[in-house]
Amino acid sequence: MLSRLMSRARKGLWGEYVAMAVFVCRGYRIIAHRFRCPAGEIDIIARRGKVWVFIEVKVLAAGRTLEQALPSPVQRARIVRAAKVFMAYRGEGDMRFDVVLVRRLLTWKIIENVW
């Protein structure tokens, strides 16, 4: 079981690095990776201009659908709470919540303004 968890953790980290590369190529600056606070965790925080983007990364296993990969309402609430904590310390600007779905070697899809 531990090896399976480690494998899942490595896949998640790999997906986050893919997502960061995609956002950097699109002109965003990566501000934080794996931001944690008592309110919750955010995989990636990026910024371009006055827009702060809070990114949740999901690595899709074979056979999983898009609906299965999207964060649950409880996960979304945690991410929003963590984003509010981050913004309280880091400044002003518009907030956007994106989900990056990563599948296979380098196949990804960005869903902007998910909630």
Side-chain angles (χ1 to χ4, degrees):
M1 172 125 169
L2 183 60
S3 63
R4 195 169 98 192
L5 290 175
M6 292 298 290
S7 175
R8 192 178 314 165
R10 270 188 262 137
K11 285 179 186 175
L13 187 59
W14 168 80
E16 291 168 7
Y17 284 122
V18 169
M20 285 191 287
V22 169
F23 273 85
V24 166
C25 289
R26 290 176 171 218
Y28 290 83
R29 266 187 340 170
I30 303 301
I31 305 299
H33 177 226
R34 294 192 167 195
F35 172 77
R36 289 184 182 175
C37 67
E41 178 183 336
I42 301 169
D43 291 337
I44 302 167
I45 302 172
R47 184 175 184 182
R48 184 168 69 182
K50 293 184 178 183
V51 178
W52 292 89
V53 184
F54 300 91
I55 305 160
E56 177 70 12
V57 178
K58 295 291 186 176
V59 177
L60 294 177
R64 286 192 72 192
T65 65
L66 176 64
E67 292 78 25
Q68 293 171 325
L70 292 177
S72 70
V74 172
Q75 288 174 316
R76 283 184 270 177
R78 256 189 240 129
I79 293 167
V80 170
R81 282 195 309 267
K84 287 180 180 178
V85 168
F86 180 86
M87 291 299 286
Y89 291 101
R90 289 302 296 255
E92 300 176 3
D94 298 325
M95 294 171 54
R96 188 176 88 204
F97 296 90
D98 292 359
V99 173
V100 177
L101 305 172
V102 180
R103 184 181 299 222
R104 287 187 235 142
L105 198 53
L106 285 176
T107 305
W108 69 87
K109 179 177 184 176
I110 298 173
I111 305 171
E112 294 183 356
N113 284 322
V114 174
W115 64 89

